[in-house]
Amino acid sequence: MDAILPTTQTDKLIDKFGRQVTYVRISVTDRCDFRCVYCMSEEMAFLPREQVLTLEEITRLSKAFVEMGVSKIRITGGEPLVRKDIVNMLADVAKLDGLDELVITTNGSQLVKLAQPLKKAGVKRINISLDSLDAEKFRKVTRVGELENVLQGIQAAKKAGFERIKLNAVILKNRNHDEVLDLVQYAMKEGLDISFIEEMPLGTIESHSREEAYYSSDEIKRDIEQQFELVPSTKNTGGPARYYNVGGYDNLVGFISPHSHNFCDTCNRVRVTASGSLLLCLGQEHSMDLKRVLRANPTDLNKVKQALVDSMDIKPKGHDFDLTEQPVIFRHMSVTGG
Ligand code: SAM
Ligand code: SF4
């Protein structure tokens, strides 16, 4: 049994700049059944199994976070739904007292089979990545993905009855920038939210120049406004997304703009990689090895909580991505989980 934290110890995660961490994104695997061009290189070396946190370790870590005031956990990857027994782990995490929201980000490839079980496990909301509605372009962006399978997965998620479903689209100039309006039309027709993400320079990729492929949120917004009225929404996630209500629809369009809009002042989040490294900022290397702490203290959650408190001292003030330079962050997005 894990011991109870002494009352003298701080019970919240607050960094040097007064920002409280209430949101954690946990990558449960670095593996994936897709090879999206902006996320992975064609040949990837994946982690050996013993270096990846076990599902039990992830559940314990989630418990430590929740007991330290974290109210939202996003499970991501790699592709989280290719990890064996993930649904059972999600059911355990969903039960943690104090956790308001358990959400997941997926490429949608397993949803035909898993949408219902995920809902039943207690996952409240789901983000599904969808960069193109054209099967050939979809294949080019994902290298191996089947559009039809993902579209069926989206229907399965709708049927399962999640609170909200949001699509995520990474827009690249000359690959899918001409599909912005089609994607919004599809989202509105299906009653889904949609966020457009500016590509981030994480890891070395060989398929394109990130600088040439840059298509800004402002350009995307201008494209959408050819047909839809966008009214700024008050929804604030403390993250990089800015949301707009779409005139005549109940759904939102969001823009995740790490380049054109800095969001660090209100940052409320940290990330855990599949190998148990706690990343204090997506755009910096500041990290702490939680796998070591978890494995050294298999029955003492206080040690894990203390490590989380200590990590707050190294959470950096912010990041500054630069598309014209070689990547300063060498880990791929599949390691970080987005
Ligand atoms: N496999 C799942 C998926 O694709 O939704 C979850 C992990 S994926 C790394 C999470 C999100 O990060 C996806 O929406 C993906 O499009 C996005 N992403 C991956 N690489 C990116 C990059 N270099 N810049 C911006 N977004 C990226
Ligand atoms: Fe896999 Fe998601 Fe990365 Fe695409 S974005 S390669 S689906 S982890």
Side-chain angles (χ1 to χ4, degrees), residues 38-39 76-79 105-106 129 170 198-200 210 333:
Y38 46 74
C39 178
T76 174
E79 175 46 42
T105 300
T106 171
S129 299
V170 175
E198 287 179 355
E199 187 186 21
M200 292 174 234
R210 302 225 198 235
M333 189 66 127

Side-chain angles (χ1 to χ4, degrees), residues 59 62 66 73 75 87-103 118-124:
T59 307
S62 303
V66 172
I73 294 181
I75 299 296
V87 177
N88 291 336
M89 186 211 85
L90 289 166
D92 290 340
V93 173
K95 282 190 216 114
L96 291 174
D97 208 13
L99 182 68
D100 294 337
E101 285 184 282
L102 176 63
V103 296
L118 287 172
K119 178 71 178 43
K120 202 159 158 249
V123 174
K124 286 211 175 141

Side-chain angles (χ1 to χ4, degrees), residues 2 26 28 52-64 83-86 88-90 92-93 96 294-295 297-298 301 304:
D2 288 314
I26 303 178
V28 295
V52 175
L53 291 187
T54 65
L55 295 179
E56 292 70 27
E57 286 166 341
I58 296 170
T59 307
R60 281 187 78 226
L61 183 58
S62 303
K63 185 167 190 285
R83 179 121 193 217
K84 197 162 160 268
D85 288 334
I86 185 72
N88 291 336
M89 186 211 85
L90 289 166
D92 290 340
V93 173
L96 291 174
L294 282 160
R295 293 189 179 170
N297 302 284
L301 205 60
V304 181

Side-chain angles (χ1 to χ4, degrees), residues 25 27 29 31-34 36-40 74-81 104-108 127-131 167-170 172 197-203 205 208 210 256 258-259 282 332-338:
R25 301 168 71 110
S27 170
T29 177
R31 289 165 195 260
C32 186
D33 50 347
F34 289 4
C36 302
V37 291
Y38 46 74
C39 178
M40 292 194 179
R74 176 174 301 282
I75 299 296
T76 174
E79 175 46 42
L81 299 184
I104 189 166
T105 300
T106 171
N107 65 21
N127 286 358
I128 306 171
S129 299
L130 181 70
D131 301 328
L167 302 178
N168 278 337
V170 175
L172 305 179
I197 308 176
E198 287 179 355
E199 187 186 21
M200 292 174 234
L202 298 176
I205 53 165
H208 60 277
R210 302 225 198 235
I256 300 176
H259 302 293
L282 181 61
H332 287 92
M333 189 66 127
S334 53
V335 172
T336 325

Side-chain angles (χ1 to χ4, degrees), residues 286-298:
H286 303 67
S287 67
M288 176 180 271
D289 183 0
L290 290 178
K291 175 164 85 257
R292 192 186 52 74
V293 182
L294 282 160
R295 293 189 179 170
N297 302 284

